[in-house]
Every structure is written in structure tokens, then in C-alpha cells.
Amino acid sequence: SSGINAEYGHNFKRINLSSRMMFEGFLFVIHLFLHTYCQLQVIAQSAFNLLRWWRLSKWNVDVLLAHTKNIGRVPSHVSLVFLEEGVPVEDLVKPVVWCICLGVTTISLYDYYGRLRSKNIDIDKEIREYYTSFTKSSKTSPKSEPRAKIQFVSVENGRTDLVNAARTLASQAVKECCPSLITQTVVEDYLKVFSHDNPEMILKFGTLNSLAGYPPWPVHLTEIISLPTCHLISPTDFVDSLRRYNKIEKRVGK
Amino acid sequence: AVVSTQSTGEYSWWQRFLIRCLLAGTLPKHVAFIMDGNRRFSKIRGITRAESYLMGFEKIGEVLDYCEVFGIKVVSVYAFSIENFKRSEEEKGELFRLFEEKMTYLLGNLEKLNEKGIRIKVMGDISLFPGHLTKLMADVQLRTAHNTEFCFNLCLSYTSREEMTNSVRTVVEGVREGRLEVSDITENLLDRCMYSEDLPPVDLLVRTSGEVRLSDYMMWQANFAVLQFARVLWPDFGFLHFVSSLLDYQRQQPRLAELRERYGEFLEKMRDWEVRGMEEGSEGRQEEFCVELKRRRREVLEEFARRE
């Protein structure tokens, strides 16, 4: 039977051109189905939200808090990973504001090229505007200015951060003021981004199933919750993600 | 199959059809597995945990067969994390017995392994295992180190952070000993100092049992990999599940290839900046350092293998 197995990898190349083209054709059809299915998920999320737009637009911080009262734990650091192009700023600030309302203390926004970082002033302004309108009609006592830390991360903060930490430690070694034993804690001390502040949950937007250059160090125990898109995102999508996060049993090796 | 004790038998007509279709597209060179779900499987099926682990091991052999068919060159599996040392003595005992059995089986089949060019690599701090296991693991690595056709990479006593820390420690030691300059420390050098050394980056990472985290597994190497979180439990992972993972890889791969290329450009830009600051002879020093590192690691393995 190992003879039959060995046939495919090597002998496949010996198949005539028309047979190969036929299999390429079949593969194309399979991928067409998969792609359509994927796109339908994206469209379904947006369409569903559009249909309920009238009801969803009435959501404010009180409704959000009511829906998340018994949801379990709210992570203290949430990372929003945007792996899709062309998300309007009004949509991408929504999950940021919802996190702030739920008491998330650190929110990091990741996009590969760092375009969000270059627009951070606009985004900051949008966040404040949306926060104001979302908490405006709140019946509970007005909260003081939200205390969440918002940071922008891109691929430049990925592996490069660890390389720079190694270089800093090495320069110190030359000057003989380097810690004598380099432990994981020491390495983390020297990271510029996510130093001792690891995201507990990644909310990933887009159909790309990858971390695509996200900093490798902090994600060892991060739960990666995916949503097809951030376009027309609704608070119920967000609440569902939190519910999924809480359903997970965090075993940590045991 | 060489690595497992069972053969997978012949493939049916629809399996052969799917195989030929998939071979018409791009396939990953390096696939990594987090084989989660053995204990849940034992609860659901009403079998003992030890039996479940054994089925899990046999599943590895089956999956390696599939990988051979699809021309995948490197397969990594997360067999035992450093965190797993926290488990009960009884459970650890079951796992260690299985490891011993499988390592001994591999050592007994060295001829076949070498004939097929299969290299067995173990990534992790194997000194944490009981002495007899460490010896077996070192032995199996040394005796297959020269093979280049296929690499079966077992992550034992491994966590990604420990690996990254070890890599940083290694290069800092190198600077301290005067064998490297600070500006020699590049991403490429850190990569070569990881336990994975010269293995290609992970293209596809599959985690079974529906959990959606990396659990400190190959985070550096899988930075641009396609991540597939499959709901099926590991002992139930079958041909169709694997085909679905590969199809997902084929679908995602073009976008990731583009991002990787952009990252390459970004690194090139950084390199220009680095090269200006770099001292002469940097590449030579890095190369020498990596060769020396490999030699030292091999010496450590030989020391383990010599133990009684």
C-alpha cells in the first residue's frame, strides 16, 4: 500500500496535460463553492444587521450593560484585529466604544500596514463622538471620562519588537549591566508593545484565518474570536463574541 | 506507514479524486498540529485515558501518511507542553510510557526511516523528562539527523515563549562572548537560533477540539500561517477533515503570500538601515555563530545519548 501512496506525490506529474487540467477545473469549482459560502457569511452578517437596523440603533450603554450582565467575565485587554480593507471609521470605532463601556481597560487595534495608526487622530475623535452619543441617553449616573488605554499596533511591532529587545539586552551585556539570567519575565520587560499586558481576547475581523504578523509574544493564551466583517457591525455581534469567549474553558496545560 | 504501527490501507476512489484535485493547487510545505481532545474523547467514548492517548498516537501515523501523499515536507506536532508537567503523576506516567514505547519503536525501525529519508526532530527542553526518555529522544534525533526528504518534528517539553527566550539568551551570550556584534542581531539570526533552526516557517496550523488559542505553540514560526481551528477531537480527525484544512490553506494562501512578500520588503527596508549601521563581516559572523550553535546542540544530544 505504500506503493500506492507514493504514486501521488511523484507520479502525479506524469499525468497527461488534459487530465491535469481537468483536476484543476474540479479544484476551481470546489474553491468557487467555498468562496461563495464564505462571502455569504459576510453578507449574511451585514444583511441581518441592516434588517434590524431600526431596533439596533436604539441600543445605548444601558441596553448593552443589560445584555452583558450575566455574560461572565469581561476581558481586561481586548485586541481588535482588522484583516479586511475599507472598513469605514464609523464602524471600526463601535467595538472600541462598546469595550470601553464594559470596562475593558486596554484596547489595542491591529492592522497590518499600520494605516490606523496614521489616522489615529481621526479615530480618536470618532471614538469620543460615538462614545458621547452611545452614553448620551443613559439613565444611570454619568460616568467620568473613560479610562481605557487605546494603542495602535501593526506588523512593525511584531517580531521586530523581540529583535529590538534582544539587541537592547545585548548592548547591556556589552556594558556589563545586563541581567545575569535572561528569563521570560526579563524578555517581556524589554518589549515595547504588550509588555506584561497580554490581550486576553482577540476579536478578528475579516475572512483571513491568520494572525498575519501580529506580535508573536503576547498571544500564548489569547482566545481568538473571529467575525466575518466589521462592516455594519452590531452590538449583538459583539455581545455574541463575548459569550463565545466566556464559553471557553481555560485549562492552561492541565 | 513507517512511523505508525498501522497501515492506512488503500484509498477509495473518491479519496483518490480529492487527492488529485488538491495536488493541482498549492500545498503547504510545513504543517503544524495541536492534537487536542484526547481526554474529552475518552470521556465521550467511555474508554480509558490511556487507550485514548494510544488512539491519538496512531492518528499521528495516519496523518503522516496523508502528508506524505500530499507532498508535505515537514510536520510538527505539539505532543507535550512544559505546562503539561503540572498534570497528575498518573497521567504523566501514561504519557511517558507511550513516548517510551514509540521512541523505542522508531529506534527499532531506523533502517526504514533512513531509507525513506525521514528525519525525526524533537523541539523543546528534553532535559526536563526522566533520564531514560531524554536518552531515547536524543538517540532518535542523532541517528536520523542526516535525512532530508521529510521531517517529523515532535514538540516535547516545549513552549514557544521558552523557545523565544532561549533564542534571545543565545544571541546575547554570543555578544557577551565576543562572537557577535549587537548589530548582527537580526530577525533572521533569531529565527535560526530557535529550536526549529533551518526548518521552513509554518504554513498551516491545525488545532483540533474547537479551542481557539495557540497555547504557547510555535507562535514565532506560525506568525504568517493559516490557522484552522477544527471542532473535531484529535482521535476523530480524518481524511476529510485534513482535506478541508488543506482547502482552507489554498484559499487563504494567496493573500498571505502577498503579506509575506510585503513583510519581506519591510525587512529589506530595515536591512538597508541595518546594513548602514552594520559592521563589516556581519554575515560571516552570523553564519559562524549558527554553525557553532548547531555543533553545541549536537554535543548536548550526544551527551544525553551517552547516559546510562
Side-chain angles (χ1 to χ4, degrees):
Chain A
S1 76
S2 67
I4 292 174
N5 293 4
E7 177 197 7
Y8 300 111
H10 310 295
N11 292 359
F12 185 77
K13 294 191 180 72
R14 288 202 230 141
I15 289 176
N16 61 49
L17 184 63
S18 59
S19 289
R20 197 191 156 93
M21 281 176 66
M22 179 183 74
F23 286 114
E24 279 179 9
F26 279 124
L27 186 64
F28 176 78
V29 169
I30 295 173
H31 277 299
L32 194 61
F33 269 120
L34 288 175
H35 181 75
T36 312
Y37 175 71
C38 229
Q39 289 304 109
L40 280 174
Q41 283 187 318
V42 174
I43 293 168
Q45 187 193 306
S46 308
F48 199 46
N49 289 337
L50 259 179
L51 285 172
R52 300 176 305 163
W53 176 81
W54 180 245
R55 218 160 29 105
L56 292 172
S57 62
K58 296 216 179 106
W59 273 60
N60 67 1
V61 63
D62 294 332
V63 182
L64 179 68
L65 288 172
H67 273 79
T68 53
K69 202 164 55 163
N70 297 318
I71 212 169
R73 218 181 143 269
V74 173
S76 56
H77 179 166
V78 172
S79 199
L80 303 173
V81 174
F82 297 97
L83 294 180
E84 50 179 348
E85 306 285 313
V87 180
V89 179
E90 312 90 65
D91 280 338
L92 69 89
V93 301
K94 286 182 181 162
V96 179
V97 169
W98 297 329
C99 284
I100 296 173
C101 292
L102 288 178
V104 175
T105 47
T106 311
I107 303 156
S108 42
L109 285 83
Y110 175 85
D111 74 310
Y112 186 83
Y113 294 105
R115 289 179 189 140
L116 294 181
R117 187 190 279 130
S118 58
K119 291 198 283 197
N120 77 60
I121 296 172
D122 290 334
I123 293 177
D124 199 57
K125 186 164 142 263
E126 279 287 338
I127 291 174
R128 285 174 198 281
E129 269 179 35
Y130 185 66
Y131 180 80
T132 313
S133 77
F134 196 69
T135 52
K136 196 170 53 184
S137 44
S138 168
K139 292 194 174 63
T140 58
S141 57
K143 286 204 166 107
S144 54
E145 190 69 14
R147 305 300 236 123
K149 177 171 96 166
I150 295 172
Q151 53 188 42
F152 294 89
V153 185
S154 72
V155 77
E156 292 173 10
N157 307 113
R159 290 170 162 201
T160 316
D161 209 17
L162 194 70
V163 176
N164 290 336
R167 283 193 179 170
T168 312
L169 280 164
S171 330
Q172 291 191 350
V174 167
K175 298 184 198 132
E176 288 179 29
C177 53
C178 174
S180 54
L181 181 60
I182 295 174
T183 59
Q184 291 184 26
T185 315
V186 169
V187 170
E188 195 154 351
D189 284 339
Y190 283 77
L191 290 175
K192 291 232 165 55
V193 178
F194 300 142
S195 176
H196 300 292
D197 185 15
N198 305 145
E200 290 165 58
M201 173 170 117
I202 279 178
L203 194 50
K204 182 174 71 67
F205 299 102
T207 52
L208 184 59
N209 293 336
S210 172
L211 284 178
Y214 191 93
W217 182 270
V219 290
H220 63 317
L221 295 173
T222 313
E223 307 290 346
I224 302 166
I225 312 284
S226 300
L227 279 174
T229 181
C230 194
H231 286 269
L232 299 172
I233 187 172
S234 71
T236 46
D237 295 328
F238 179 74
V239 170
D240 276 336
S241 310
L242 274 182
R243 209 163 271 137
R244 273 153 67 188
Y245 169 78
N246 274 287
K247 261 200 185 146
I248 296 165
E249 184 201 335
K250 294 154 189 41
R251 287 171 290 141
V252 200
K254 295 217 181 73
Chain B
V2 181
V3 188
S4 82
T5 49
Q6 283 179 343
S7 108
T8 42
E10 296 199 17
Y11 289 103
S12 61
W13 68 268
W14 60 270
Q15 287 176 320
R16 289 202 293 271
F17 170 74
L18 280 173
I19 291 169
R20 286 183 192 278
C21 284
L22 275 162
L23 282 171
T26 341
L27 286 169
K29 282 201 218 51
H30 182 171
V31 180
F33 290 96
I34 302 180
M35 310 175 295
D36 205 2
N38 294 295
R39 289 183 294 174
R40 265 168 281 177
F41 185 81
S42 76
K43 282 200 193 107
I44 291 172
R45 291 291 183 98
I47 57 176
T48 65
R49 211 170 38 203
E51 282 171 335
S52 185
Y53 281 135
L54 185 62
M55 286 180 75
F57 265 88
E58 295 305 316
K59 184 57 64 174
I60 299 177
E62 192 183 314
V63 170
L64 285 174
D65 254 1
Y66 301 150
C67 290
E68 189 188 6
V69 161
F70 286 113
I72 293 165
K73 289 287 167 188
V74 184
V75 175
S76 301
V77 296
Y78 201 7
F80 197 84
S81 156
I82 293 180
E83 298 294 319
N84 294 152
F85 279 109
K86 291 182 198 160
R87 289 188 180 175
S88 67
E89 287 304 317
E90 191 198 333
E91 194 173 341
K92 280 192 297 194
E94 282 165 11
L95 282 166
F96 293 169
R97 265 192 298 277
L98 259 174
F99 293 153
E100 190 178 342
E101 205 182 287
K102 296 301 167 184
M103 291 285 151
T104 313
Y105 170 79
L106 286 174
L107 279 171
N109 272 293
L110 272 177
E111 209 178 288
K112 262 203 202 145
L113 286 174
N114 289 329
E115 189 188 298
K116 290 193 119 190
I118 299 176
R119 177 183 162 201
I120 313 278
K121 189 173 157 66
V122 176
M123 266 175 40
D125 187 1
I126 61 173
S127 65
L128 296 175
F129 282 115
H132 67 286
L133 265 182
T134 312
K135 180 178 155 67
L136 284 170
M137 290 173 187
D139 232 340
V140 101
Q141 287 186 81
L142 288 168
R143 311 258 212 121
T144 55
H146 55 281
N147 294 326
T148 53
E149 277 300 306
F150 181 86
C151 180
F152 178 38
N153 187 23
L154 285 152
C155 297
L156 290 161
S157 179
Y158 172 88
T159 57
S160 187
R161 281 189 165 192
E162 194 272 320
E163 182 187 28
M164 288 192 271
T165 307
N166 186 272
S167 188
V168 169
R169 203 182 295 133
T170 310
V171 300
V172 171
E173 280 302 307
V175 169
R176 225 200 286 260
E177 290 169 7
R179 291 185 294 133
L180 285 174
E181 303 293 326
V182 172
S183 53
D184 291 341
I185 299 177
T186 58
E187 188 176 312
N188 186 254
L189 180 68
L190 263 188
D191 195 38
R192 290 173 77 182
C193 294
M194 299 279 166
Y195 294 140
S196 46
E197 287 170 3
D198 43 8
L199 291 181
V202 176
D203 294 310
L204 169 65
L205 191 151
V206 179
R207 180 174 188 148
T208 53
S209 88
E211 302 289 350
V212 289
R213 56 183 176 267
L214 293 176
S215 294
D216 224 340
Y217 183 57
M218 292 184 102
M219 302 179 312
W220 174 274
Q221 295 88 343
N223 208 214
F224 284 90
V226 172
L227 304 177
Q228 229 233 6
F229 297 114
R231 291 233 175 90
V232 63
L233 300 176
W234 175 251
D236 278 328
F237 189 77
F239 178 78
L240 275 179
H241 296 113
F242 191 50
V243 161
S244 129
S245 310
L246 291 177
L247 283 169
D248 204 25
Y249 171 79
Q250 287 186 335
R251 206 168 52 81
Q252 312 269 347
Q253 193 265 346
R255 247 182 99 188
L256 279 167
E258 190 198 315
L259 291 180
R260 269 196 195 169
E261 208 182 287
R262 292 285 155 85
Y263 188 66
E265 285 166 16
F266 159 71
L267 281 183
E268 274 301 309
K269 260 199 244 150
M270 285 202 33
R271 236 179 82 80
D272 284 339
W273 176 83
E274 280 167 7
V275 162
R276 272 181 251 133
M278 233 192 245
E279 302 181 27
E280 231 182 79
S282 177
E283 274 186 38
R285 278 195 299 271
Q286 288 184 41
E287 186 61 37
E288 243 182 74
F289 183 77
C290 290
V291 167
E292 174 65 19
L293 178 67
K294 269 196 173 154
R295 198 191 60 78
R296 286 188 187 183
R297 284 179 174 168
R298 196 190 163 87
E299 257 177 31
V300 168
L301 285 181
E302 282 167 359
E303 174 63 43
F304 286 144
R306 269 196 292 268
R307 284 189 196 165
E308 286 306 309

